[in-house]
Amino acid sequence: MNNIVYFDLSAFIILAIFDVALLVKRQVRDRANTVLLILIEMATLATLADYTAAYIENTSDVSGTGRTMAYLFNYLYYATQTMIYPLYTLYIYATNDIWHIFKQNNKARAAWWSLVAVNMLLLLINPFTHLVFEVTEPAIYHRRPLVIIFYITGFIFAIWGLGVIIKFKSIVKKDKILTLLILYPIVIAGVIVQTLKPAILIEMLSVAVAVLFFMIVLQRHEYQIDPITGALKYTTSIERINTIFEMHKPITVILIKVANHGNLRLYLGQSLYNKYLHMQTETFSSITARRNYPVDIFYFENGTYAILSDDYDINKAMPVAEDIRKYMEKPMNVDEYTVLTDGRICIVRCPEDIEELSTMFTFVTNFHETMGDTKDVMLYAEHRNDREFMIRNEMDDILNRAISENLFEMHYQPIYSVTEDRYVGAEALIRLRDEKYGLIPPGIFIPMAESNGAIHAIGDFVLSEVFDFIARYDLDELKLDYIEINLSASQCIEVDLVDKIMHMIATKGIDAEKVSLEITETAADINPAIVDANVQKLHEEGIRFALDDYGTGYSNIRRVTMLPVDEVKLDRSFVKEIDNPQMWIVIQDTISMLREMGKEVLVEGVETEEVAKRLTDAKPDLFQGCELIQGFYYCKPLPEQEFIEFIRDRL
Ligand code: C2E
Ligand code: MG
Ligand code: MG
């Protein structure tokens, strides 16, 4: 046997290893991997056929089966080898996430199929025409003139691939360009050698070496797949998502959120919770497969999935989303536990609905909050005129704009003292005046600013603004004892909070006692040590403290008794239920208890005279009544000037 067939044998070994590796690692979920796998399979078969044909040619000396076998293996070689270059072209589209460009271009598709058809046709008629190759007795292989057509079509596919790389070089990463280009000299060298010296079967080895590069540099490795869910990890696939948005590639995204993921993780424990997520992913992939809906499934952490599809037709996405909804609604058995998923599903089309990647990310993390309790499949497109929905979606941009252009302003809501029959202070409440959406209430933007970190800049603005306000007016002349400022939980754990506030108070020349800071029970929960220390130090400097929204969090009376708060603000939700006799008992006892603890008690959200009366109507030994009231009944939050006028009018 001729030594040079060992090239083919080596190629076969390399390719077969990749073949098995790809299949064993089940790396075929996405399109690029699928195309690469088919390419490798074709190359493996071609190599095997080439090697076997050569083996037969070298060993057959008598006529008969040898010739037929040699013919068949050469036939198999050409049938598979000629598919390598068309598949390579497809691979370039797939691995660079520009598949849609190929899919949408009818001419390109027609050209691809025509070239493949030419090859196939030549092969089909070869048994009758022997235009491509021939095997003569005993088993001697001959090339015939039209074999050149295979080289020409292969060359066209190769140039085509090169053209695509060059055209889209701005979005293709450097290492990819390099690797895709490396293929050319290697394969061209292989082809030239084998053409000149047909006995040296080196062409397939050059293909195998090129594939080796693909596998090492390009192939989407397991790190892209989340080991827990089996879905694609968005952190490592970010480059792909980036390209999709940069290219304005039309995609439909089905977003899925397990709204109760935190509880599930807690009650199932991590390993069962992982199993639950895995079962879910498997179901999503079988639903999409059954509906014949081509997808990539991404897992975004925290119970969030994004199912991306090239299919832009909303009528195809809808039944898939409905199937998923039905599946999530049903109780699920995870080992011996029955799990109920609180699912939210939303369909977004990009770029039509969302054009920017940053907006998409904000939406992915927040969309379930904008959906409230509805478990119906939500279509983004149907909410485009929904102001609050859009505000939430664009919140990152809105906040950035507001911070850089200073679009915040402070309003002040008077606080009335029942015992002193006068306004003793006010709560400073922030407002955001956006160019596009007008006035946005803090109830919407503060929680989002807390989650994206903007709260620190906003908090600094509020402190500085309110201190300026205190410096601007003579509060004593207005008979106001203090202005209350809301501190968000994340501000309470700022390491330099004390220094920052005391420095501002000193430079603006105001009296620390005029400042009252509102904190919440949640703040005390996050990091009790640092919150305690901050509050303690500021309190020692003379700053007053109020505990806000009392009764809404996990009321931890012990922690309340430990914090040096001067005032406790009963949340509006208490007042809302004042007509419930049981609740009325709770309100009275809470107020009495807090007053006995030496706290001033303020009730928030008082809107009517009747409620104000009930709350302040002290009955000796039974109910002490509250001292402070804040609510629309007395006054709404007002812009600075109106607030000053309001107070002056009542002096
Ligand atoms: P909060 O601190 O509990 O403020 C009281 C909220 O209740 C204010 O809403 C106020 O306008 C509203 N309110 C007062 N009286 C009544 C009433 O009689 N009826 C009704 N329905 N509502 C009343 P606002 O201004 O929308 O603020 C909402 C929340 O946003 C605040 O709740 C506070 O948690 C947060 N917030 C506001 N300004 C700031 C700020 O400067 N910094 C921080 N960190 N949070 C702020
Ligand atoms: Mg407050
Ligand atoms: Mg409050």
Side-chain angles (χ1 to χ4, degrees), residues 427-429 484-487 518 520 548-549 569 604 630:
E427 176 173 4
L429 293 159
E484 296 193 333
I485 302 171
N486 290 285
L487 273 196
E518 291 188 10
T520 59
D548 202 2
D549 304 338
K569 303 183 85 167
E604 289 185 307
Q630 183 183 344

Side-chain angles (χ1 to χ4, degrees), residues 619-639:
K619 297 184 191 74
D621 298 333
L622 273 175
F623 174 44
Q624 298 196 33
C626 70
E627 300 128 297
L628 302 167
I629 291 189
Q630 183 183 344
F632 294 172
Y633 171 61
Y634 289 98
C635 187
K636 289 196 170 186
L638 299 171

Side-chain angles (χ1 to χ4, degrees), residues 188-200 202-203:
I188 289 170
V191 171
I192 291 173
V193 171
Q194 193 163 340
T195 310
L196 298 178
K197 291 226 179 293
I200 306 177
I202 201 167
E203 184 185 343

